[in-house]
C-alpha cells in the first residue's frame, strides 16, 4: 500500500455544479446514501472521493473509475490494432511508405476534431454516455474495417474513421475529475490515462499472436481480417455494459441530477467559450502534443522501426515495441503522483516543477534513444524514454483541473486534442523526410520536446503561482497563497480534521 496525505480548504465544483443567475437553487438530491460510500468523500465538493481504492469496484466512485480506464484501454487497443500488422497488410495491399504514413496520420487526425467536440459535451451530458457511444461506434468501425479494407484508399478512410475512438480519452479524464477532489484527481487521472494507454502496448503483442493463431485455419489474406473480431467485439461489449453499470458522478448520472434540479444543465457552447478562451489551455495543449503526441507516433511506427532498423521478425519487433506502451502500467501514474506530492509540499509551484522535469527528462531520453545503433542499447533507452513520455502525460493532467474548474471538460478536450495535433505534426516529419533516416526524425522531435519543457516557467493560471515568478498575481494574492499553503484543511464525511488521502493498491 502506498500512502499520500493531502489537505486543502479549496471547495471548487466542476462540470455544471454552479447555479446560474436567476435559476432555482439546486436540491440535495443524491442517488446514493453517502454513509454507504466505499471511499472517504468531501461533502463540500459534491461527495467527490478524497482517496482511491484500486481494489474496490463498488458504485459509484470506484466502479466508474474502473470503467473509465478499461474503456479507454480497449479503445486504444482497437485504435492501433492495424499498426503491428502493417508488415503483413502492407504487402497484400501493395502500400508504399508514404501511403502507410498517410494512414497513420489520418488515424490520429480524426481524433483532433472529436476531442474539441467531446470536451464541451462532457460538461453538458456527462462522461458515461459519451464514452459508451464512442466505444460502440469504435467497435462497429473495427468490424467494418475487417471486410472493407481492400487498397490504400479504403485503409486510409477506415483508419480515419476508427481514429474517432481516440476521443475516449477526454471523457476518461473528465469522468475522474467528477469522481475525485482535485487534490487527488491528478493521481486518479494519471492512473486511468496510463492504464488506458497501456492498450497501445498490449495490441502490439496481442494482435500478432491472434493473427498467428488465425493462420492455422485460413490464408494470410483472411487471417488478419478475422483477428479484428477481438478488438471490435470487446469495444462493443464494454460500451453496452458501461451504460448499465456505472455513474457520471458520485450523486448519480447527469440526466438524473438535472431532472431533480440538483445541478443546472450546462451549455456546451458556454463551456467551450470558457475553456477555449484560456491561453494556458493552449500552452498545455502544446506540451501534451510533446508527450502524448509522441506516444501516438511511437505506437504507429515503433514495430516497423525495429523491423527495418534492426532486422527483426514481426512477433519480436512487436514484443519489443510493446515495452513502450507497457510502461503505462506505472509510468503515467508516477507523473500524477509526483504532481500531487509536490503540490502538497510546495503548492502549485510543485506541480509546475514536476511538469518541467518530466518533459525535460523525456526530451533528453528521446534524443539518446535516437542515437542508439544496436538492439542491446536501444531496448533499455526505449524503456527510459517511455517512462518520461508517460510521466509527462500524468503531470500535464495534474495541472488541467486548475485552469478553469467550471469548464474542465472543455479544457481537457483542448489539451487532449493537442496530443493528437502533435502526433499529426510528428507524422508529417516522417512523411516528408525524404532520405532522412527515421532515427533523425526522432532526434528532431526530441529538440521540440525540450523546448516545450522550457515554456513551463511561463505557465500562469489565475490565482495560482508561477514556477519561478508570478507577474499575474498582486502582492496580496501572493501573500494569501503563501498563507493558505501553510494551513489547509478538507472536511470529509468521516471527520473535520485534515483529510488523509490514501491510494490503496
Amino acid at each position: 500500500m502506498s500512502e499520500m496525505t493531502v489537505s486543502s480548504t479549496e471547495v471548487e465544483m466542476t462540470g455544471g455544479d454552479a447555479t446560474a443567475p436567476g435559476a432555482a437553487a439546486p436540491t440535495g438530491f443524491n442517488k446514493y446514501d453517502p454513509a454507504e460510500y466505499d471511499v472517504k468523500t468531501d461533502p463540500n465538493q459534491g461527495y467527490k472521493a478524497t482517496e482511491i481504492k484500486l481494489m474496490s469496484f463498488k458504485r459509484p466512485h470506484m466502479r466508474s473509475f474502473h470503467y473509465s480506464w478499461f474503456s479507454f484501454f480497449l479503445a486504444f487497443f482497437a485504435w492501433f490494432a492495424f499498426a503491428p500488422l502493417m508488415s503483413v497488410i502492407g504487402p497484400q495491399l501493395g502500400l508504399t511508405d508514404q501511403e502507410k504514413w498517410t494512414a497513420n496520420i489520418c488515424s490520429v487526425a480524426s481524433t483532433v476534431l472529436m476531442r474539441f467536440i467531446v470536451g464541451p459535451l462532457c460538461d453538458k451530458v456527462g462522461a458515461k454516455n459519451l464514452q459508451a457511444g464512442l466505444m460502440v461506434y469504435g467497435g462497429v468501425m473495427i468490424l467494418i474495417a475487417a471486410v472493407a479494407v481492400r487498397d490504400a484508399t479504403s485503409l486510409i478512410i477506415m483508419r480515419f474513421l476508427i481514429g474517432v475512438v481516440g476521443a475516449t480519452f477526454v471523457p476518461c479524464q473528465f469522468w475522474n475529475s467528477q469522481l475525485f477532489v482535485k487534490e487527488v484527481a491528478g493521481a486518479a487521472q494519471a492512473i486511468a490515462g496510463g492504464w488506458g494507454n497501456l492498450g497501445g502496448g498490449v495490441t502490439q503483442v496481442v494482435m500478432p499472436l491472434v493473427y498467428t493463431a488465425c493462420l492455422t485455419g485460413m490464408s494470410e489474406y483472411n487471417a488478419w481480417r478475422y483477428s479484428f473480431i477481438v478488438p471490435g467485439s470487446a469495444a462493443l461489449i464494454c460500451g453496452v455494459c458501461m451504460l448499465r453499470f456505472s455513474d457520471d458522478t458520485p450523486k448519480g448520472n447527469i440526466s438524473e441530477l438535472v431532472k431533480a434540479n440538483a445541478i443546472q444543465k450546462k451549455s456546451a457552447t458556454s463551456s467551450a467559450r470558457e475553456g477555449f478562451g484560456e491561453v494556458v489551455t493552449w500552452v498545455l495543449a502544446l506540451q501534451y502534443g510533446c508527450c502524448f503526441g509522441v506516444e501516438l507516433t511511437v505506437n504507429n511506427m515503433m514495430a516497423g522501426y525495429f523491423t527495418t532498423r534492426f532486422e527483426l521478425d514481426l512477433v519480436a519487433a512487436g514484443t519489443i515495441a510493446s515495452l513502450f506502451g507497457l510502461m503505462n502500467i506505472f509510468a503515467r501514474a508516477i507523473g500524477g503522483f509526483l504532481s500531487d506530492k509536490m503540490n502538497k509540499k510546495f503548492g502549485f509551484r510543485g506541480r509546475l516543477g514536476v511538469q518541467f522535469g518530466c518533459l525535460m527528462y523525456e526530451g533528453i531520453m528521446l534524443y539518446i534513444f535516437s542515437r542508439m545503433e544496436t538492439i542491446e542499447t536501444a531496448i533499455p533507452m526505449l524503456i527510459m524514454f517511455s517512462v518520461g513520455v508517460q510521466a509527462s502525460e500524468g503531470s500535464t493532467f495534474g495541472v488541467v483541473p486548475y485552469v478553469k474548474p467550471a469548464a474542465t471538460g472543455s479544457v481537457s478536450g483542448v489539451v487532449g486534442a493537442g496530443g493528437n495535433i502533435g502526433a499529426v505534426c510528428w507524422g508529417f516529419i516522417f512523411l516528408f523526410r525524404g532520405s532522412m533516416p527515421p532515427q533523425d526524425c526522432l532526434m528532431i522531435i526530441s529538440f521540440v520536446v525540450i523546448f516545450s519543457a522550457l515554456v513551463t516557467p511561463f505557465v500562469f493560471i489565475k490565482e495560482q503561482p508561477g514556477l519561478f515568478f508570478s507577474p499575474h498575481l498582486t502582492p496580496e494574492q501572493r501573500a494569501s497563497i503563501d498563507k493558505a499553503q501553510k494551513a489547509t484543511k478538507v472536511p470529509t464525511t468521516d471527520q473535520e480534521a485534515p483529510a488523509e488521502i490514501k491510494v490503496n493498491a
Side-chain angles (χ1 to χ4, degrees):
M1 176 186 294
S2 60
E3 184 173 291
M4 174 175 55
T5 304
V6 179
S7 57
S8 172
T9 56
E10 295 178 272
V11 286
E12 302 256 19
M13 302 299 290
T14 65
D17 291 297
T19 304
T27 69
F29 173 85
N30 194 332
K31 181 178 179 180
Y32 298 96
D33 181 359
E36 296 181 0
Y37 286 148
D38 192 42
V39 293
K40 295 178 182 179
T41 62
D42 179 3
N44 291 323
Q45 296 194 56
Y47 291 100
K48 293 181 181 181
T50 60
E51 64 178 357
I52 308 169
K53 289 187 175 180
L54 295 180
M55 297 308 294
S56 171
F57 296 87
K58 293 185 179 180
R59 299 178 79 164
H61 301 84
M62 296 314 301
R63 175 80 62 81
S64 295
F65 167 80
H66 286 297
Y67 265 115
S68 75
W69 76 259
F70 187 63
S71 59
F72 186 43
F73 171 91
L74 292 178
F76 229 93
F77 186 95
W79 190 6
F80 291 99
F82 270 99
L85 300 181
M86 285 308 296
S87 61
V88 173
I89 299 171
Q92 283 189 20
L93 303 182
L95 303 179
T96 65
D97 284 343
Q98 287 74 21
E99 288 169 337
K100 291 178 183 178
W101 272 106
T102 299
N104 289 343
I105 291 170
C106 287
S107 73
V108 295
S110 58
T111 313
V112 175
L113 177 62
M114 284 306 301
R115 289 192 176 191
F116 280 122
I117 294 172
V118 167
L121 286 176
C122 284
D123 291 308
K124 181 177 181 179
V125 303
K128 184 186 76 170
N129 290 337
L130 287 171
Q131 192 80 333
L134 287 168
M135 292 301 294
V136 171
Y137 165 87
V140 171
M141 288 298 105
I142 282 286
L143 295 177
I144 291 176
V147 297
V149 173
R150 302 289 174 176
D151 51 27
T153 301
S154 57
L155 172 68
I156 291 169
I157 292 173
M158 289 312 305
R159 291 212 67 186
F160 179 86
L161 295 175
I162 292 169
V164 169
V165 79
T168 51
F169 171 76
V170 178
C172 167
Q173 296 294 283
F174 177 80
W175 206 347
N176 282 284
S177 74
Q178 299 300 287
L179 298 171
F180 301 94
V181 297
K182 65 183 180 180
E183 288 73 30
V184 292
Q189 290 173 316
I191 295 171
W195 289 0
N197 286 0
L198 183 62
V202 171
T203 197
Q204 302 284 345
V205 177
V206 173
M207 289 306 292
L209 292 176
V210 173
Y211 163 75
T212 302
C214 291
L215 280 176
T216 59
M218 61 193 69
S219 66
E220 289 185 1
Y221 180 82
N222 289 321
W224 70 264
R225 298 177 186 277
Y226 276 89
S227 68
F228 276 68
I229 293 175
V230 174
S233 58
L236 279 170
I237 293 171
C238 180
V240 173
C241 290
M242 190 186 309
L243 281 174
R244 176 68 179 83
F245 301 113
S246 63
D247 305 277
D248 283 314
T249 77
K251 296 193 291 184
N253 295 315
I254 294 292
S255 59
E256 297 169 330
L257 296 173
V258 170
K259 185 177 181 180
N261 195 35
I263 61 172
Q264 299 300 317
K265 189 172 183 179
K266 195 171 183 68
S267 164
T269 303
S270 65
S271 172
R273 189 182 303 114
E274 291 182 51
F276 293 7
E278 294 290 329
V279 174
V280 70
T281 301
W282 299 94
V283 175
L284 292 174
L286 164 67
Q287 294 185 322
Y288 201 60
C290 290
C291 49
F292 186 64
V294 171
E295 178 175 6
L296 296 181
T297 302
V298 169
N299 284 336
N300 266 325
M301 57 80 67
M302 196 52 65
Y305 180 82
F306 277 101
T307 299
T308 56
R309 182 162 168 75
F310 300 109
E311 299 181 348
L312 301 178
D313 61 42
L314 177 66
V315 175
T319 300
I320 293 173
S322 73
L323 295 175
F324 182 90
L326 292 175
M327 294 304 103
N328 276 297
I329 294 175
F330 68 90
R332 184 160 180 153
I334 286 177
F337 281 127
L338 285 176
S339 184
D340 288 344
K341 191 72 172 178
M342 292 301 101
N343 178 63
K344 178 202 167 191
K345 191 169 184 179
F346 301 107
F348 191 72
R349 286 189 183 92
R351 290 196 186 275
L352 294 179
V354 172
Q355 178 78 341
F356 173 83
C358 288
L359 283 168
M360 183 61 69
Y361 171 84
E362 174 198 342
I364 293 171
M365 290 301 105
L366 174 53
Y367 173 80
I368 296 174
F369 170 73
S370 71
R371 302 299 92 193
M372 296 298 98
E373 299 289 342
T374 66
I375 190 69
E376 292 79 11
T377 57
I379 292 175
M381 291 314 305
L382 175 69
I383 293 172
M384 296 176 69
F385 152 53
S386 176
V387 170
V389 171
Q390 328 301 350
S392 296
E393 294 167 3
S395 66
T396 301
F397 271 83
V399 176
V400 164
Y402 292 80
V403 176
K404 197 75 174 180
T408 301
S410 292
V411 176
S412 296
V414 172
V415 176
N420 288 80
I421 293 173
V424 171
C425 293
W426 314 143
F428 277 124
I429 291 176
F430 282 94
L431 180 62
F432 298 112
R433 71 181 190 272
S435 59
M436 181 188 297
Q439 58 267 32
D440 288 351
C441 296
L442 292 174
M443 181 181 67
I444 292 172
I445 295 172
S446 74
F447 294 148
V448 182
V449 175
I450 291 172
F451 168 79
S452 75
L454 297 175
V455 173
T456 307
F458 303 97
V459 170
F460 301 123
I461 294 177
K462 185 179 180 181
E463 299 181 356
Q464 300 294 342
L467 180 57
F468 300 126
F469 43 87
S470 306
H472 62 302
L473 299 179
T474 65
E476 292 77 15
Q477 287 175 318
R478 296 187 194 116
S480 176
I481 289 170
D482 291 339
K483 184 178 180 180
Q485 176 64 25
K486 294 176 181 178
T488 56
K489 179 180 178 181
V490 176
T492 73
T493 52
D494 301 89
Q495 56 185 18
E496 290 297 317
E500 183 178 46
I501 301 176
K502 300 177 180 179
V503 178
N504 301 304

